[in-house]
Each structure stands twice: as C-alpha cells, then as structure tokens.
C-alpha cells in the first residue's frame, strides 16, 4: 500500500505549497502571455458591406399578415387604442403591427443591428425609422431593401416637394420620410432681440457663453458651410476645411457654451442660454411652457431633415411594411398623427385635413411650414461611408478636445 | 477518521512525510475546483474583453466598420492618441485629484461624526449618505444644473458677495465639473472611512489621553493611523471612477472642460475604435501605475 502510494506522489514542484497569490499571478501572466501571443494576432474584423447579390431577402407578406416596426419613443399617437391611427390600420388591413419603441439614438441603434445586417442575418424587424444621415449610411452599406413604388401610391401623390429627392437617395428608392423637422435658431425674446442669422448667433457679444450649438455634425456643419458661403449639398474638401476652421475659431472665442443634444431645451427654458441652434419640434414643445421662446429661420438658410422608414435586408414582410408606410401618407391619417407628434408633417394635404380636427395646429408653421420657410431649406451632401467617418472624426476633434 | 477496519495500525494523519499526499491532494484539487466559478467569470467578463480591447487598440486606424479592421500591431495609435489628447488626459486627472481631495476633506469629518458622535442617529445618517443612490446618477447630476443655473440663487449669492464677476457663471465651468464629481463620488469616500473608523478600539484613544496626549495628538497618533485603510480605500474608490467619468464634464462643463472620458466616448461614437481603445488602455495603465505607486508610498499593501 505505502509503496503504491509513494509511486503516485506527484513531482516535488507540484507538491510544493502554492500560495493563493502566486497561483493568481501565475495564472494571470500565463493567460496574458497566451492572449498576447496568440489571440491578438487572430483578431481583426470583417467588413460589414452587403449588396443585393450577397444578401437576398424573401417576402412572406402574402401568407403572414404581420409587420414588426422599430421607432423612436413618443413618435406616434397611442398605439394601444383601437381608434388611433395604428389600430385603424390593423383593423382595415388585417395586418398585425408589432410596434417597438427601441430607437433612442441613431448610432446606438446602428450598434444594435450592425452584427446581424453586416452578416446578412435577420434583425427580427421588418421596418425601422432612422434619420437621414444614418439612412444614407445604411444605403451605402447595402443593408436595405429597395421599395416597390407600386405599393406606395399615396407617397407618390402626397410627399412634400422639398423631400422628394435628397442627395443620398435621389429617387426615394429605399426611404420614406416618417416625420420631418427643421434645424434653425431658437432664442428667448424676453431676454434678447431677434437673432436673425447664424453669423449673428456665433458672433454677437451678448451671447458669449450664453449660446449652444448641436453636437450633430450634419446640423452644425451645414450652417458653418453656409456661413463661409459654400453650398452644403455640394462642397469641396477645401470648403469643408474652411468651415471647420470657422467652427474652431467660434469655439475658441468662448462664444459657444456647449455642444449639446436635446439638453439645450432645459438650458433655454431655465435661462442659462439666450439663444441656440435648435430643432423645430423641441421649440414647439418649449413654446407651450414659455411663449417667449421663438424659432427663426436663419438668413443663411435652414436644414430640413427627416426620420425615414426603411426596410432592412432579410425582413420577411416588406409588402406589409410598404402598406403601412403608404397608409400614413393618407392626408387624414397624417393629420391625426401630426396633431399628436408636433413635428413637420411631410404629407401634402394633411394641412387641410388638420383644419377639421385642430385648426390652431393647422396654422402652425413648425408643423406645416409655409413656402417662405421651405424656400430656403438645404439638406446635407450625401456622403460615402469613408467621407462620413472622416467628417464625423474631424468634427468631433474640433468640438471634443 | 479512517473507516476501514482492516487498517488499524497507520492512520493517514500519522503517516511519514512522503505519504501525506493523498488527503491534502484531494483538498488541493477541490480548492482548484472552488476557484473555477470565479476563474470562469474572470475569463468571460474580464480577460476576454481586455484582450479584445487591447487588440482593438492595435488595429489599423485606416480601417472602418464598413471595410473591417485589420490587425496590424499599430502601436502608433498610442502615440497619436497621447499626442492629440494629452490635454484632456491631464485635465481629467487633475479634476479627479481635486475632487478626491475635496471628498477626503468633506468625507473624513462626516465619517468621524457618524462613527463616534452620532449615537442612536448612526443608522439614519448612514442611510442619508447612501440615499442619493436611490435615484439615478444622471438625475442627480442634472439637478446640479438647476442648482448652479445662471439665474439661480447660488450664482445670485456668489455675485452679491463678489465671489464671481457680474457676467460670470458657475454652470458650464471647471468649477461645476469638479463640484459634480465631488458630490457624486462622496459616498464612496465616506463609507470605507466609516468602516475603518468604526472598528477602532476606543480604549486605545482613551489610553492616549491617559498618557498625556492632547486630543489633537491622540487623533494624529492613534485615530488617523488606524483609519488609514479607510483613507486609502476611499481615495481609490473616488479617484479611479472619477478619472474616467464623462457625464459630469458633459452636463456641467463647457467646451474647455472636456475630460478624457469625454474624448473616449466621442471617439467611440464616431466609430474611431482603435483610438478609443488605445485611450482606454492608456487610461487603465496610468491609473494602475498611479495606484501602485500610491499604495507603495502609503505603505498599506497589507491593509487592503
């Protein structure tokens, strides 16, 4: 017995007492060593681009009366009620809509679907709603299905003229505006005289440290390009550089208090800032509390943008999604929706429909902009994925450091 | 004990040295087995992301999500990151060092009072220290925007007292960022301080008094040294998270008060993953180095 036991006695080194510390140290260095040598060089990522040939989708709309849609929060009238727009759609078409409020941020949503769409897999969604620049990026990546215009007669008839051919999707092959908005200037009329131009906003001494700009590159740079006299729809790299220098100069002068997202609404409401670059929908909300907050169309022009409904690759209910998109281009439906969400309604004829349900809203230029407002709107040049990244990068470096 | 009736003569415990292997070995392997859940956890949630992070920091910076990133061992990412973002790095560390010092100055007397003077209010006071955690970090930070707002009473009083110029402001300044950091991380300082102060044996302090030391001397020679583990733990728990914080600078700062956390966040947002990863790794290495030096200097390795 004892002999046998001796035979299986482990070698000396192994039997030596091992302290917790040295085990951990040994294990971690060993693992790090392995990691460093082997794993790191095996890393790297595949490209995420797809094309019609590389990623084919199937449409089961005929047999499955359903559609799954991801939208931004508070961007539709109540979805649970039978007499609301979505309820009526479900009743009249028999298509069940699974509505998700899971788009909070373009970049974050991109992160959510990136792995599936990059690998040509289903995201579980038939339709989602994203802002112009992100829609442009996804078109560039080949992640979207082309829409069938035959299913979109209301869209053909009623889409607002200014939104018909954006630079990044000139024939609206892939995208249908859901709601639109304007980017311009908001100011507090109780505290300061009208801020009529962007040049004024970034140079007026009373506004030093009392104004903000948006941290969305496309919005802010559109105005910088306009200030230096370039055309935001068609500009050169040199003009981009000049516009960027202008922004840096404005920032370094201490004029800009912050670059913000939606937070500017609080600062404007509390009086921390007197004027800012602003989105029309937010200003409309602010005006409910404080009528002194005004929205102006800057002399240089203003940005007209949309959040767009898109159908991703591998979505299996494209025709159903198209029916849903088209349904919201019926002026009556569009008016009902616009009365609730207070953004710019992209549907011609909805204004007339609105006079029947809410006459005061029908007069509001921030929901139904008049021709003077619309005559001076611009969209941003369509960018390739590389340009988009480069410009975002340049912009972030100026506002970030 | 041995249950086998046939081996009465030599119990394993009494066996000569070389034969003692069997039971301890079983114990040793079960110790390894017990380590397994923790080790798996670390591999899955620490080591794997770490490797991924380090790998990302060495990707070819000319890649993009669309075209994919190639692993090119691009050490230049680190040079570029430090070259371009040295200022927010320094600013971030300076802000969090000031905030940590302020937390210590505010938190020590508070923890001392709770541990020694609070009596039956002790539990209530502890709850009050932790109470802010019941609401979200973001909401608490936004509340400071209200408190420090340009038309608020704090700014009004400061202007009346001549502490800030008539056209001056508190919100959107470095002051507000440091104040926000101090406020948000104060409980992380108070709790470890309280724990180590609470453990101190009162008789030691009484003994110091009996040996003719003044209260101040007694504090310096007895209480303070005995509370050092709390000081070290508190400063680490405050400094480390605040050095990487970006919420305070984003909400309470302006364009000149960006910390390194803001830069990492913004690099990540624009999809410049190699730079974001290189900055994160650098931040981590710097913090580990600072903490190591600090612990050495404080001579408290065994206290942790």
């Amino acid at each position: 017995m004892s002999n046998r036991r001796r035979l299986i006695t482990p070698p000396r080194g192994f039997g030596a007492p091992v302290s917790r510390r040295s085990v951990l140290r040994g294990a971690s260095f060993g693992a790090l060593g392995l990691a460093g040598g082997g794993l790191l060089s095996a890393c790297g990522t595949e490209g995420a681009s797809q094309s019609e040939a590389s990623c084919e989708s199937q449409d089961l709309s005929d047999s499955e009366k359903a559609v799954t849609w991801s939208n931004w929060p508070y961007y539709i009238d109540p979805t649970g009620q039978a007499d609301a727009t979505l309820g009526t759609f479900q009743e009249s078409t028999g298509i069940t809509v699974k509505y998700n409020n899971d788009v909070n941020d373009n970049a974050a949503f991109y992160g959510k679907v990136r792995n599936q769409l990059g690998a040509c897999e289903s995201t579980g969604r038939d339709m989602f709603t994203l802002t112009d620049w992100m829609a442009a990026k996804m078109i560039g990546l080949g992640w979207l299905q082309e829409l069938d215009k035959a299913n979109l007669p209301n869209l053909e008839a009623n889409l607002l003229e200014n939104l018909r051919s954006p630079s990044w999707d000139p024939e609206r092959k892939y995208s249908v505006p859901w709601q639109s908005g304007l980017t311009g200037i908001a100011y507090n009329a109780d505290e300061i005289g009208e801020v009529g131009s962007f040049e004024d906003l970034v140079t007026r001494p009373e506004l030093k440290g009392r104004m903000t700009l948006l941290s969305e590159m496309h919005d802010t740079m559109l105005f910088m390009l306009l200030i230096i006299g370039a055309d935001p729809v068609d500009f050169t790299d040199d003009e981009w550089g000049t516009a960027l220098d202008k922004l840096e100069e404005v920032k370094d002068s201490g004029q800009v208090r912050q670059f913000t997202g939606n937070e500017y609404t609080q600062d404007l409401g509390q009086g921390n800032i007197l004027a800012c670059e602003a989105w029309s929908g937010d200003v409309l909300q602010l005006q409910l509390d404080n009528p002194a907050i005004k929205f102006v169309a800057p002399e240089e022009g203003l940005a007209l943008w949309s959040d767009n409904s898109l159908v991703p690759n591998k979505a299996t209910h494209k025709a159903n999604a198209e029916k849903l998109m088209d349904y919201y281009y019926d002026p009556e439906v569009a008016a009902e929706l616009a009365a609730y969400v207070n953004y710019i309604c992209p549907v011609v004829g909805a204004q007339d429909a609105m006079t029947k349900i809410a006459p005061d809203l029908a007069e509001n230029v921030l929901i139904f902009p008049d021709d003077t407002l619309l005559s001076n709107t611009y969209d941003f040049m369509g960018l390739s994925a590389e340009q988009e990244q480069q410009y975002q990068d340049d912009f972030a470096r100026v506002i970030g450091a | 004990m041995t249950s086998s009736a046939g081996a009465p003569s030599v119990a394993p415990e009494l066996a000569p040295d070389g034969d003692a292997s069997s039971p301890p070995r079983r114990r040793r392997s079960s110790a390894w087995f017990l380590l397994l859940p923790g080790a798996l956890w670390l591999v899955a949630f620490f080591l794997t992301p770490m490797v991924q992070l380090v790998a990302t920091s060495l990707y070819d910076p000319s890649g993009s999500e669309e075209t994919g990133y190639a692993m090119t061992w691009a050490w230049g990412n680190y040079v570029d990151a430090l070259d371009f973002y040295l200022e927010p790095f320094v600013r971030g560390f300076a802000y969090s060092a000031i905030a940590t010092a302020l937390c210590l100055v505010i938190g020590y007397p508070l923890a001392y009072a709770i541990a020694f003077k609070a009596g039956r209010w002790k539990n209530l006071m502890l709850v009050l220290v932790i109470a802010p955690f019941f609401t979200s970090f973001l909401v608490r930070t936004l509340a400071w925007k209200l408190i420090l707002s340009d038309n608020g009473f704090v700014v009004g009083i400061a202007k009346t007292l001549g502490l800030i110029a008539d056209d001056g402001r508190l919100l959107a300044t470095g002051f507000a960022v440091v104040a926000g950091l101090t406020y948000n991380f104060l409980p992380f300082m108070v709790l470890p301080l309280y724990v180590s102060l609470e453990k101190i044996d009162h008789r030691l302090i009484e003994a110091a008094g009996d040996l003719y030391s003044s209260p101040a001397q007694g504090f310096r020679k007895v209480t303070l040294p005995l509370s050092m583990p709390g000081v070290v733990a508190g400063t680490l728990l405050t400094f480390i998270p605040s050095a990487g914080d970006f919420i305070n600078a984003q909400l309470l700062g302006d364009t000149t008060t960006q910390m390194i956390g803001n830069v990492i966040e913004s690099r990540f947002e624009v999809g410049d993953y190699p730079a974001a990863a290189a900055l994160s790794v650098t931040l981590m290495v710097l913090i580990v180095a600072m903490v190591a030096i600090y612990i050495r200097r404080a001579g408290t390795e065994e206290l942790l």
Side-chain angles (χ1 to χ4, degrees), chain A residues 2 5-6 8-10 14-18 20-21 23-24 27-28 31-32 35-37 39-49 105 107-108 110 114 137 141 191 208-210 251 254 256-259 263-264 266-267 270-273 385-386 389 392-394 396-397 399-401, chain B residues 12 15-16 18-19 21-22 25 28 32 35 42 47 50-52 54-56 58-59 61 63-71 73 80 84-85 87-88 91 142 145-146 148-151 169-172 249-256 258 262-263 266-267 269-273 275 301:
Chain A
S2 68
R5 222 184 273 155
R6 208 170 263 136
I8 56 161
T9 302
F14 191 79
V18 187
R20 187 178 70 101
R21 188 165 287 213
V23 166
L24 289 178
S28 52
L32 276 182
L39 292 178
L40 283 188
S41 41
C43 282
T45 63
E46 301 278 319
S49 289
D105 178 292
Y110 174 88
R114 190 247 170 218
K137 185 168 167 172
L141 285 166
E191 305 269 345
K208 188 173 180 200
R210 307 294 300 271
K251 189 201 111 176
V256 186
R257 184 181 178 113
Q258 277 178 317
F259 289 89
E263 311 96 274
Y264 72 84
Q266 295 161 354
D267 281 318
Q270 287 165 17
N272 292 329
I273 56 172
E386 293 88 61
Q389 184 156 1
Q392 290 275 11
D393 192 289
D394 292 346
R397 280 178 196 260
I399 71 167
Chain B
D19 292 343
S21 57
S22 181
R25 231 192 81 188
R28 218 179 288 134
W32 280 104
L35 269 180
L42 281 178
L47 204 59
M50 265 305 285
V51 170
Q52 183 63 47
V54 173
T56 307
L58 297 171
Y59 285 169
S64 69
E65 274 213 284
E66 291 70 42
T67 54
Y69 287 103
M71 183 69 195
W73 301 95
D80 290 347
F84 204 89
Y85 296 114
E87 204 185 312
R91 189 183 297 126
L142 283 170
K145 284 193 80 161
L146 273 176
L148 297 177
S149 97
D150 288 19
N151 303 325
R169 62 173 198 244
L170 288 178
L171 194 58
Q250 186 172 314
L251 296 181
L252 304 174
D254 68 358
T255 55
T256 63
Q258 303 289 299
N262 301 86
V263 176
S266 124
R267 288 287 94 193
E269 286 253 302
V270 301
D272 187 1
Y273 299 134
E301 201 172 4

Side-chain angles (χ1 to χ4, degrees), chain B residues 42-264:
Chain B
L42 281 178
V43 168
F45 296 109
F46 175 69
L47 204 59
T48 315
M50 265 305 285
V51 170
Q52 183 63 47
L53 183 70
V54 173
T56 307
S57 74
L58 297 171
Y59 285 169
D60 179 2
S62 66
S64 69
E65 274 213 284
E66 291 70 42
T67 54
Y69 287 103
M71 183 69 195
T72 55
W73 301 95
W75 296 100
N77 288 346
Y78 284 87
V79 181
D80 290 347
L82 276 177
D83 185 37
F84 204 89
Y85 296 114
L86 188 62
E87 204 185 312
F89 249 118
V90 174
R91 189 183 297 126
F93 281 128
Y95 280 177
S96 54
I98 298 170
T100 307
L102 285 171
C103 278
L104 188 60
V105 171
I106 300 167
Y108 200 100
L110 180 58
Y112 188 90
I114 298 176
F116 293 144
K117 309 288 179 196
R120 64 201 177 91
W121 301 109
K122 190 186 272 185
N123 285 336
L124 179 69
M125 288 181 77
L126 278 175
V127 168
L128 287 179
V129 169
I130 305 166
F133 282 117
F134 295 149
T135 57
S136 112
F137 181 65
L138 218 55
V139 171
R140 282 181 279 137
T141 311
L142 283 170
W144 276 95
K145 284 193 80 161
L146 273 176
I147 298 171
L148 297 177
S149 97
D150 288 19
N151 303 325
F153 71 98
V154 176
V155 172
I157 293 171
K159 278 182 184 166
T160 316
L161 296 177
L163 292 176
I164 54 174
D166 272 346
D167 60 344
R169 62 173 198 244
L170 288 178
L171 194 58
T173 61
F175 172 85
V177 178
V178 172
L181 288 171
T182 309
Y183 163 76
N184 275 313
F185 292 103
L186 186 62
F188 294 104
M189 178 66 86
V190 174
L191 293 179
L193 277 174
Y194 164 76
V195 169
S196 66
L197 283 166
E198 219 270 331
K199 278 193 310 199
I200 294 177
D201 189 341
H202 276 254
R203 289 171 300 179
L204 293 172
I205 303 169
E206 282 164 23
D210 291 345
L211 294 169
Y212 298 105
S213 72
S214 67
Q217 271 177 318
F219 173 78
R220 214 178 65 237
K221 301 226 159 144
V222 179
T223 315
L224 187 59
L226 286 175
S227 66
M228 273 315 279
V231 174
V232 172
T235 42
L236 292 180
L237 284 176
T238 313
F239 181 77
I240 295 171
S242 63
D245 181 82
F246 68 93
I247 295 290
N248 284 285
Q250 186 172 314
L251 296 181
L252 304 174
D254 68 358
T255 55
T256 63
T257 60
Q258 303 289 299
M259 294 168 64
I260 192 63
N262 301 86
V263 176
I264 294 175

